[in-house]
Amino acid sequence: MDILANIEEFARQAHGDQQRKFADEPYIMHPIRVMQLCQDYTSDLPVLSAALLHDVLEDTAVTKDDLSSWLWGVMPTDEAFRTLSLVVELTDVYIKKDYPKWNRRKRKQAEAERMSRTSAAAQTIKYADIIDNCLDIANSSSDFMPKFLHECRVLLKVMDRGNPELREKATATVSKFLQQVK
């Protein structure tokens, strides 16, 4: 089994029976689509691996140590380290559990500032994540969509280091859906 297939299976197991919030499908479909979007712009194994794993630390019981140990067993050391670093960069820091007195707006603002300083590779993955999340939420009947789209627009304004073509695609996706909700 190749490394990427191994990583996809790890992510699939980690997400288990989780379902997408705004789409009736297994959660694993989201990281797979994020990885596929990234694959249109890069063949860099740590980037593609991190795309598959980008929500594992945030949304599953897998810890950084668990992921680190597992990655070191399936990838060359330098690629495992880079993959783990990208996943950590993509994991929200300003979460409600750790900042209970902060409202969503303050947490998202702090997260945007943090994301503005992340690597080009992490930002590239985040562009793909934004695109896929926008497509899911736009196809739902959620009244959360306008707020989410505005948060994405803020992120895209400050994240300017990633792949410029994918950033442009993410910006166009957010703008298109924002126009539909006005």
Side-chain angles (χ1 to χ4, degrees):
M1 187 183 278
D2 75 340
I3 293 172
L4 210 49
N6 231 344
I7 289 171
E8 181 181 322
E9 184 56 30
F10 179 87
R12 183 180 305 280
Q13 294 292 323
H15 287 291
D17 293 335
Q18 291 176 343
Q19 293 286 304
R20 290 288 284 162
K21 189 174 190 172
F22 298 105
D24 184 25
E25 67 181 10
Y27 194 90
I28 189 61
M29 299 311 297
H30 167 65
I32 290 171
R33 286 191 302 266
V34 170
M35 185 273 299
Q36 289 168 339
L37 271 167
C38 290
Q39 215 167 25
D40 291 341
Y41 300 90
T42 184
S43 60
D44 186 0
L45 181 61
V47 170
L48 301 177
S49 299
L52 284 167
L53 298 166
H54 77 274
D55 283 335
V56 165
L57 296 180
E58 199 170 298
D59 295 336
T60 76
V62 174
T63 67
K64 181 180 172 185
D65 288 341
D66 295 336
L67 183 58
S68 174
S69 295
W70 186 82
L71 286 171
W72 263 256
V74 297
M75 300 175 91
T77 304
D78 59 329
E79 290 183 337
F81 178 77
R82 192 153 162 258
T83 299
L84 181 64
S85 295
L86 288 167
V87 173
V88 169
E89 278 187 281
L90 291 161
T91 300
D92 284 351
V93 171
Y94 300 99
I95 57 175
K96 192 172 191 169
K97 177 180 77 93
D98 294 337
Y99 294 85
K101 295 186 188 225
W102 288 16
N103 63 23
R104 181 181 175 88
R105 183 183 198 132
K106 186 171 183 176
R107 289 192 316 272
K108 290 299 180 180
Q109 182 179 11
E111 200 58 47
E113 289 173 26
R114 184 188 73 79
M115 286 300 297
S116 74
R117 297 184 300 273
T118 57
S119 67
Q123 289 186 10
T124 296
I125 296 165
K126 189 64 177 176
Y127 301 156
D129 182 47
I130 287 171
I131 292 167
D132 191 65
N133 282 329
C134 283
L135 295 171
D136 272 1
I137 199 167
N139 289 323
S140 76
S141 58
S142 173
D143 57 354
F144 176 65
M145 187 168 70
K147 178 184 285 222
F148 175 77
L149 292 170
H150 284 288
E151 291 169 354
C152 289
R153 185 167 59 182
V154 167
L155 274 173
L156 290 167
K157 282 182 181 176
V158 299
M159 292 188 331
D160 58 2
R161 295 182 184 163
N163 180 285
E165 292 172 70
L166 193 53
R167 181 175 185 246
E168 188 176 311
K169 184 174 181 174
T171 301
T173 301
V174 169
S175 295
K176 174 183 136 188
F177 289 123
L178 271 171
Q179 286 176 345
Q180 291 176 4
V181 296
K182 287 183 180 180

